[in-house]
Amino acid sequence: MHNIITTSPTSSTVFITSGVRISSSLLPKPSSLSATSSLPIRSPPFRSVSRWCYGVDWRSPVIPRAQIESVTPVVQQFQRKIASMASENPFKGIFTTLSRPGGGEFGKFYSLPALNDPRIDKLPYSIRILLESAIRNCDNFQVTPNDVEKIIDWENTSPKQVEIPFKPARVLLQDFTGVPAVVDLACMRDAMNKLGGDSKKINPLVPVDLVIDHSVQVDVARSANAVQANMNLEFQRNYERFAFLKWGAYAFDNMLVVPPGSGIVHQVNLEYLGRVVFNTDGILYPDSVVGTDSHTTMIDGLGVAGWGVGGIEAEATMLGQPMSMVLPGVVGFKLSGKLQNGVTATDLVLTVTQMLRKHGVVGKFVEFYGEGMSGLSLADRATIANMSPEYGATMGFFPVDHVTLQYLKLTGRSDDTVAMIEAYLRANKMFVDYSEPQQEKVYSSYLELDLSDVEPCISGPKRPHDRVPIKDMKADWHSCLDNKVGFKGFAVPKEAQEKVVSFSFGGQTAELKHGSVVIAAITSCTNTSNPSVMLGAGLVAKKACELGLEVKPWVKTSLAPGSGVVTKYLEKSGLQKYLDQQGFNIVGYGCTTCIGNSGDLHESVAAAITDNDILAAAVLSGNRNFEGRVHPLTRANYLASPPLVVAYALAGTVDIDFEKEPIGTTKDGKSVYFKDVWPSTEEIAEVVQSSVLPDMFRSTYESITLGNSMWNKLSVSSSSLYSWNPKSTYIHEPPYFKDMTMDPPGPHGVKDAYCLLNFGDSITTDHISPAGSIHKDSPAAKYLLDRGVDRRDFNSYGSRRGNDEVMARGTFANIRIVNKLLNGEVGPKTIHIPTGEKLSVFDVAMRYKEAGLDTIVLAGAEYGSGSSRDWAAKGPMLQGVKAVIAKSFERIHRSNLVGMGIIPLCFKAGEDADTLGLTGHERYTIDLPSKASDIKPGQDVTVTTDNGKSFTCTIRFDTQVELTYFDHGGILPYVIRNLIKK
C-alpha cells in the first residue's frame, strides 16, 4: 500500500494523503529500509509493505528505529515495555516458541496448554481470549495473577460478577464517534499543558484505525453520477471535520485514517483491518478490538473478540488504560441442520435476534458452535455477529475454524499469514477443527436452533427484534394499524385505513396509501458485506427486468456498498446494470439510510405524506429501525435482506401477502408473483462462486489509503497542539477540563433535584442524542443561524459531534421522544417545574443550571439502547443532569454515564416510577458518602423526595475502577491526573 505525503518548503503545513504524518527529514532512503521494524508510522511513497507481512506492523514503513525515537518517545517507551514484557511477566515460564514447519519460527507466545490446568479445556473460546490477554499483560499492577486465576476459574467466578481488567489489542473508530474522540484527545493535550504535564503523553499506545464512513448522505439517488455528486456534497458539508481528522492522524502516532468513500468501517475491518493474530516484536497474540460503534461486534464472525464501547472508554484504552469489565457469562448457541432453499442470512439473524432477546443476554457473550456451523459462510457469521447489540449481547462470537481460514485467503491474506494464524491458534487451543472429536465446553446457559426451521422474515415496524414472517406480513401490518400507539401499533382509525392519496410526480399521477414504500435502501454493513444477499438482490432485479417490472419512480431507492469489492463483484456478475434499471444505483460507500442519512424525499412525496397524514414505510437492509431514525416521514420502518428490499420496492407497499398477491404485472397484463423473481440458493451460490474473487479484495485494499482528489487536497497544520477556531461550528473546544486541578473533586450526591424528563421504556441513544437532521425550530438550529450558518448547511447532528455547543442543544432533541411530563404530547420539550412553562429541553436545563439547581432523569427499561454514543452521556452532563434512575440500562450507555460522572441508579425489581407513584414533579435527593472508599459497587442507596416518598435503588457503579472514575469526576480527568503523576 502507498501513502503519498508532500511537504511545503516554505511553511510548516504538511499534506498527507493517507492521513498520517511523517516528517520529510525522516524519510529513509530506499537502501536504508529494514525488514524488522514494527513502528506504527506509515509507508513513504516509494515503499510498500504488505499489510499481512507480520514481521512488521502491516501498515508500517520499514524505517530504522533510531530515526524515529526522537519523534515518538512515548510510543518507543511503550514498545520497549512490550519487548521486555516476557522477562518481567510472572508467567514467563510458559513463554514459548512457535516453530515454523520446515525450520525457523513464527514467533513466541504465552502458551495456555503449558499451564497444565484442566479447567482451561472447558473454557469457552471467547473466554480463552480474555485469559491470554490477562496472562500476557500481567505486570502485578494493572493486571495481577489473581485476575488470571479469576478467568481460569470462570465456571465458578462468572456467576459472582467478578471484575477483571482487559487490554484490547487495538481500537476502531468511525468519524461520527471518532471526531469527538480526537477532540477529547486534543483537549486533553491542552489540559496536560496547563497542569504542567507532557502533552505528548496523550498519544495512542495501541493501533487506532479510524474509517470515515458516517458522513455520506443520499442527497442524489437513481443517477449514474450519484456517487460523485454525493461525495461533492459530503466534502462541502464536512470540510472542517475532515481536515480536523487529517490533523489528528498527523498529530497522534499510531493512528490510521481511512478516507471518505472507501467503505463502511465494519466491512473494512472484516475484509482488511482484522489481523486475527498479531505479531508485535515477535510476540504472537490474538487480535482483539474495541470500537466506538456498537456494531464493532461484526468482527466476532472472524473469530476476533470485539465489541462496542463509549468514546471515552476507547480514549482511555488508546492511552494504555486497561478496561475494567465484569467477567461475563457465556451463552452457548448450538446450530444444527442447514438453511432451506431461498432463506437468507438476514432471515437467520432476525430469527437469532428474536430468540436471544427472549432468552436475555445483556452483558453476556454468546458463542456459536455445533455441526450447523459448517454450512454457514464467514459472511453469514459476520451478519449474525453484527447484530449483537440488537439481541443485547456484548459479543456474538464464532471461534476460528477452517471456514475462517478460507475467508482469510479469499480476502487476500497471504498463505504464510494464514499458516501462522492457524499454527498459533492450534498451539494455544483457540482453533476449532470440526473433523476432530469436540470436547464439551461449559456454558452459562444453552440455546439451540435447527437452521432448517428459519423462514423468510422481516422485522419492524419500530424495533429490530420484532420479527414478522413474510407469510404473516399483511396480517401483522393490519394489526399494527389497529393497535394502540406503541412498538407494534399506530392507532389508525378504521375509516382512514384504506385512504388513497393521489399527487403529481414528474408529470405523472402517483398514489400513496398507508404502508406505501417511499424508501427502499440496500445499506448497512450487516448485509453489504455478504456476497450471497447482495448478489441475490441483483438476481431479483434481473428477473424483474426480464419480466418487465419497474420500481415506481417516487420510491427513493439506493445502494450503498460497504466496500469497493461489492461493486467489483456486482459488475463482474453483470447484475449491477439490472439494479441500476430498478433505481438501485450506487450512491456512495458508507453508512447511509441505516443511520438516518437517507436524504430528503422528493417535495411532492413529502407533501403527500405530511398533508394527508400517510403512514409511509421504509424497507432497508439495515440493523436499526427505531422510530425517527431512518427518516422523519417514515413512521414504519422494516429491516429486510437486500433481495427482499428489492421485492418490496417492486411491490411498492408492505401491505401485501407475497404468497397470494402479485408484486406487479408484465407489459401484457400478466400477474407476476414473488416466487417468479425469487432466486434459489443454488442460483445465488453459482454467481457467488464465479464472481467473488481474491484479486478483488487485494486490488481494492492496496489503494484504500490513497484517498481521492478532494481528500488529498486538504491541508493541515503540523502542530501537535490543535489551534481551536472560536468561530467554527464543527470543531469546538469542550469545557470538560475547565478549572481542573490535580486533586480529584470526590463523589457528589444529589440535593433537591428537579426531574428534567420522565421516560418510559426503550429510550434509545437516538432519542437522547439524535444523529439525523437538525430541525429548523430547534435550539441547535438557532445556535447555527445566530452564527451565520444557512439552513441548507445545517448538516446533521452526527456530523457536528465535534462541537459541544451544538450537541448539548441537540440532547433530547429527537422529534419522536415521549416525555411523560407532557401528558401524551410527543416532541423534544419538557416542563420547567417551578413555573410550569413548556420549553425545549435544552432551555429548561439551562434555566436549572443557571439557578444552581441539580436535575435528574427518570426512565424505564433498556434506557440507552441502540448505538454506542458517548454524546448520549456527554450531552446530559453538559445540561446539568446529575443522575439517571431507570429500570435497566443498556451496557455501553451505563458505562458512558459513569465515564462522564453521572450517577446511574436502578429501581428495585418490580418497581418503577409509576408503581412508586412518581410523577416527575417532585424534587429528589440522593445521599452518597463523601469518600469514594465508602461506596461499594452495586450497593443500595436511598432516594427521597420533597413530598415524603422514599425508595431504595441499586447504584450501578459495577466495579471499583468505575468508582475511582466517579471520584475523579469522570474517566478522562482520571487519565490526565494519572499520566501526570507517572
Side-chain angles (χ1 to χ4, degrees):
M1 131 186 150
H2 300 276
N3 298 334
I4 297 176
I5 307 153
T6 60
T7 59
S8 167
T10 58
S11 74
S12 61
T13 300
V14 178
F15 298 83
I16 310 126
T17 292
S18 71
V20 183
R21 72 161 171 143
I22 183 166
S23 168
S24 59
S25 64
L26 294 176
L27 290 177
K29 296 180 174 63
S31 60
S32 71
L33 296 172
S34 161
T36 60
S37 171
S38 61
L39 290 176
I41 311 296
R42 298 339 178 236
S43 307
F46 45 78
R47 175 64 168 150
S48 177
V49 179
S50 166
R51 66 192 171 97
W52 292 107
C53 177
Y54 273 79
V56 298
D57 179 284
W58 60 262
R59 293 165 314 207
S60 64
V62 273
I63 300 176
R65 186 179 300 269
Q67 288 183 294
I68 300 298
E69 286 180 351
S70 62
V71 190
T72 57
V74 178
V75 174
Q76 187 233 349
Q77 179 184 7
F78 181 68
Q79 291 185 327
R80 281 203 302 266
K81 180 179 177 182
I82 290 178
S84 63
M85 192 179 292
S87 61
E88 300 170 358
N89 195 302
F91 292 91
K92 62 184 179 182
I94 63 169
F95 193 60
T96 188
T97 297
L98 180 64
S99 299
R100 183 190 294 270
E105 63 179 61
F106 284 118
K108 292 181 169 54
F109 71 105
Y110 288 90
S111 170
L112 301 186
L115 288 171
N116 294 317
D117 194 318
R119 293 175 295 177
I120 295 175
D121 293 333
K122 294 183 179 181
L123 288 178
Y125 288 95
S126 50
I127 298 299
R128 296 181 194 191
I129 293 175
L130 301 183
L131 174 61
E132 189 283 336
S133 175
I135 289 172
R136 176 168 38 87
N137 290 292
C138 190
D139 59 0
N140 286 312
F141 176 60
Q142 289 185 328
V143 185
T144 69
N146 185 49
D147 296 318
V148 173
E149 172 58 25
K150 288 178 188 175
I151 302 173
I152 293 176
D153 199 34
W154 170 86
E155 186 177 354
N156 297 311
T157 54
S158 64
K160 300 175 184 176
Q161 297 282 291
V162 299
E163 174 189 352
I164 62 163
F166 177 56
K167 301 191 81 170
R170 59 190 175 96
V171 173
L172 184 70
L173 309 172
Q174 38 90 336
D175 56 301
F176 268 18
T177 50
V179 166
V182 178
V183 165
D184 289 352
L185 290 175
C187 193
M188 290 172 76
R189 278 194 170 177
D190 291 344
M192 286 282 282
N193 260 2
K194 291 174 184 174
L195 291 171
D198 178 6
S199 63
K200 288 290 182 67
K201 286 185 177 181
I202 304 296
N203 227 0
L205 298 179
V206 297
V208 176
D209 302 310
L210 192 157
V211 181
I212 301 176
D213 69 342
H214 272 52
S215 300
V216 61
Q217 298 185 37
V218 190
D219 293 292
V220 179
R222 287 178 166 263
S223 169
N225 74 332
V227 172
Q228 190 59 51
N230 288 326
M231 184 173 284
N232 289 342
L233 290 167
E234 180 184 6
F235 269 81
Q236 287 174 25
R237 293 180 178 125
N238 297 284
Y239 178 88
E240 276 190 73
R241 296 173 63 245
F242 291 171
F244 176 70
L245 289 175
K246 200 168 183 180
W247 167 83
Y250 173 89
F252 298 103
D253 299 307
N254 229 4
M255 183 181 289
L256 170 72
V257 172
V258 177
S262 303
I264 301 175
V265 57
H266 306 304
Q267 188 163 342
V268 174
N269 193 24
L270 187 74
E271 297 174 352
Y272 176 58
L273 299 173
R275 281 76 152 174
V276 186
V277 173
F278 264 88
N279 184 338
T280 300
D281 285 348
I283 298 177
L284 307 175
Y285 52 97
D287 187 4
S288 59
V289 59
V290 291
T292 55
D293 188 285
S294 53
H295 293 103
T296 300
T297 54
M298 188 170 188
I299 201 67
D300 302 342
L302 194 66
V304 174
W307 59 85
V309 296
I312 44 187
E313 279 185 292
E315 292 159 31
T317 300
M318 292 181 213
L319 297 171
Q321 300 298 308
M323 285 179 54
S324 178
M325 61 184 289
V326 173
L327 185 61
V330 182
V331 177
F333 199 124
K334 186 176 182 179
L335 299 173
S336 60
K338 67 176 184 178
L339 295 174
Q340 295 185 60
N341 184 39
V343 175
T344 69
T346 315
D347 303 321
L348 172 57
V349 72
L350 295 178
T351 302
V352 167
T353 297
Q354 186 181 50
M355 289 178 65
L356 288 170
R357 290 287 296 202
K358 184 177 180 180
H359 186 75
V361 293
V362 172
K364 298 176 183 177
F365 290 173
V366 176
E367 187 165 297
F368 294 89
Y369 69 103
E371 51 92 8
M373 293 277 282
S374 61
L376 286 183
S377 70
L378 195 289
D380 290 350
R381 298 175 184 190
T383 297
I384 296 170
N386 177 282
M387 286 191 72
S388 293
E390 282 65 49
Y391 46 80
T394 303
M395 280 207 303
F397 189 73
F398 290 81
V400 176
D401 61 9
H402 285 106
V403 173
T404 319
L405 301 181
Q406 291 165 7
Y407 180 82
L408 291 172
K409 291 182 179 180
L410 171 68
T411 50
R413 279 80 162 184
S414 71
D415 289 344
D416 187 62
T417 294
V418 175
M420 182 271 291
I421 290 170
E422 181 177 5
Y424 168 78
L425 294 175
R426 282 186 181 275
N428 229 6
K429 292 192 174 181
M430 293 179 177
F431 186 86
V432 183
D433 190 335
Y434 287 105
S435 67
E436 299 175 353
Q438 297 297 301
Q439 179 166 346
E440 196 67 29
K441 303 293 180 294
V442 175
Y443 293 109
S444 307
S445 60
Y446 297 80
L447 278 176
E448 184 170 355
L449 173 64
D450 185 335
L451 296 174
S452 65
D453 291 337
V454 178
E455 57 186 338
C457 58
I458 61 178
S459 281
K462 300 180 184 180
R463 295 189 302 187
H465 53 282
D466 289 332
R467 186 180 67 91
V468 185
I470 292 299
K471 66 180 190 303
D472 300 332
M473 181 57 199
K474 188 177 183 72
D476 189 84
W477 172 251
H478 282 275
S479 69
C480 287
L481 292 178
D482 291 333
N483 294 343
K484 67 179 183 179
V485 175
F487 296 119
K488 293 289 288 185
F490 296 103
V492 177
K494 282 285 187 187
E495 64 273 13
Q497 290 184 9
E498 300 302 321
K499 176 170 57 177
V500 178
V501 174
S502 296
F503 64 100
S504 177
F505 183 91
Q508 67 180 106
T509 300
E511 289 185 347
L512 290 181
K513 61 178 184 176
H514 296 308
S516 288
V517 174
V518 295
I519 291 177
I522 299 175
T523 178
S524 168
C525 49
T526 308
N527 287 291
T528 65
S529 61
N530 194 323
S532 64
V533 293
M534 296 299 287
L535 290 166
L539 287 170
V540 172
K542 178 176 184 288
K543 290 172 183 281
C545 288
E546 290 170 346
L547 289 167
L549 302 188
E550 288 184 0
V551 176
K552 297 292 190 292
W554 54 86
V555 179
K556 187 167 186 177
T557 46
S558 62
L559 167 58
S563 81
V565 176
V566 179
T567 302
K568 287 183 169 68
Y569 65 64
L570 282 174
E571 289 177 348
K572 180 171 176 56
S573 67
L575 296 175
Q576 183 62 55
K577 65 181 180 182
Y578 298 109
L579 287 164
D580 290 346
Q581 286 180 45
Q582 296 297 347
F584 288 95
N585 301 81
I586 295 175
V587 295
Y589 297 88
C591 297
T592 52
T593 305
C594 187
I595 60 165
N597 287 357
S598 47
D600 292 334
L601 293 176
H602 190 277
E603 289 180 2
S604 62
V605 177
I609 294 170
T610 54
D611 294 349
N612 300 281
D613 198 23
I614 289 293
L615 191 56
V619 183
L620 64 152
S621 64
N623 46 47
R624 297 273 166 82
N625 57 341
F626 301 124
E627 193 171 15
R629 179 185 177 94
V630 174
H631 192 283
L633 298 182
T634 59
R635 284 185 283 162
N637 302 283
Y638 287 92
L639 306 182
S641 66
L644 274 177
V645 170
V646 179
Y648 274 106
L650 289 163
T653 180
V654 296
D655 184 8
I656 186 172
D657 183 337
F658 276 151
E659 292 185 0
K660 299 176 181 177
E661 299 176 84
I663 61 171
T665 56
T666 62
K667 291 179 179 177
D668 57 5
K670 182 181 177 182
S671 293
V672 177
Y673 290 85
F674 177 76
K675 61 182 176 60
D676 299 324
V677 299
W678 198 252
S680 68
T681 301
E682 289 73 21
E683 283 180 274
I684 294 173
E686 287 176 11
V687 180
V688 170
Q689 183 68 29
S690 61
S691 304
V692 185
L693 305 173
D695 281 346
M696 295 177 176
F697 294 88
R698 292 192 190 100
S699 61
T700 296
Y701 288 113
E702 280 173 358
S703 60
I704 193 169
T705 56
L706 291 180
N708 53 67
S709 60
M710 288 180 284
W711 174 260
N712 296 340
K713 288 175 183 176
L714 293 175
S715 61
V716 296
S717 166
S718 61
S719 172
S720 63
L721 295 176
Y722 189 67
S723 299
W724 306 97
N725 177 3
K727 294 182 180 180
S728 172
T729 57
Y730 277 100
I731 308 298
H732 184 265
E733 183 177 11
Y736 310 137
F737 311 114
K738 188 179 180 182
D739 303 324
M740 178 181 168
T741 67
M742 283 300 294
D743 298 319
H748 65 80
V750 177
K751 179 71 171 174
D752 290 330
Y754 282 101
C755 177
L756 182 63
L757 296 140
N758 183 3
F759 292 130
D761 294 342
S762 296
I763 291 295
T764 72
T765 51
D766 282 301
H767 291 117
I768 305 168
S769 182
S773 59
I774 298 172
H775 194 273
K776 60 183 178 65
D777 297 323
S778 66
K782 183 179 186 303
Y783 171 86
L784 293 172
L785 289 169
D786 288 347
R787 281 150 185 80
V789 178
D790 193 273
R791 184 183 166 190
R792 69 173 182 272
D793 298 321
F794 278 2
N795 212 332
S796 64
Y797 281 113
S799 67
R800 291 190 180 272
R801 284 182 181 167
N803 187 311
D804 59 283
E805 296 281 4
V806 172
M807 296 309 295
R809 287 164 173 77
T811 302
F812 302 117
N814 189 301
I815 61 171
R816 300 291 179 194
I817 204 166
V818 178
N819 172 17
K820 293 180 184 178
L821 292 176
L822 297 181
N823 297 317
E825 182 181 335
V826 176
K829 294 185 181 297
T830 194
I831 301 298
H832 182 248
I833 304 298
T835 63
E837 290 180 84
K838 181 174 68 176
L839 302 166
S840 74
V841 177
F842 175 77
D843 289 339
V844 171
M846 291 303 101
R847 280 200 186 183
Y848 287 134
K849 194 171 182 180
E850 288 162 6
L853 299 169
D854 290 347
T855 55
I856 59 107
V857 171
L858 295 175
E862 300 177 335
Y863 182 75
S865 57
S867 302
S868 59
R869 196 165 290 174
D870 55 332
W871 267 112
K874 289 177 177 175
M877 184 276 288
L878 291 175
Q879 287 189 355
V881 173
K882 301 299 181 184
V884 177
I885 310 175
K887 287 173 69 175
S888 63
F889 292 92
E890 190 274 339
R891 176 184 62 86
I892 300 173
H893 184 62
R894 184 205 61 81
S895 174
N896 281 339
L897 291 174
V898 173
M900 294 311 297
I902 295 175
I903 305 168
L905 296 167
C906 275
F907 292 108
K908 288 297 183 180
E911 295 183 348
D912 59 22
D914 291 338
T915 63
L916 293 169
L918 304 174
T919 65
H921 288 264
E922 309 86 356
R923 298 185 73 172
Y924 296 79
T925 295
I926 306 166
D927 285 322
L928 290 180
S930 58
K931 292 183 179 179
S933 58
D934 293 333
I935 307 174
K936 304 301 178 191
Q939 77 174 48
D940 287 348
V941 298
T942 300
V943 182
T944 58
T945 66
D946 62 337
N947 61 355
K949 292 184 184 294
S950 177
F951 55 96
T952 302
C953 290
T954 301
I955 195 164
R956 287 298 310 277
F957 296 125
D958 289 355
T959 66
Q960 204 63 46
V961 171
E962 289 187 343
L963 279 169
T964 302
Y965 296 157
F966 183 58
D967 185 46
H968 279 259
I971 189 172
L972 300 184
Y974 165 79
V975 169
I976 291 173
R977 292 186 182 101
N978 233 25
L979 288 173
I980 291 176
K981 287 178 181 177
K982 286 182 180 180

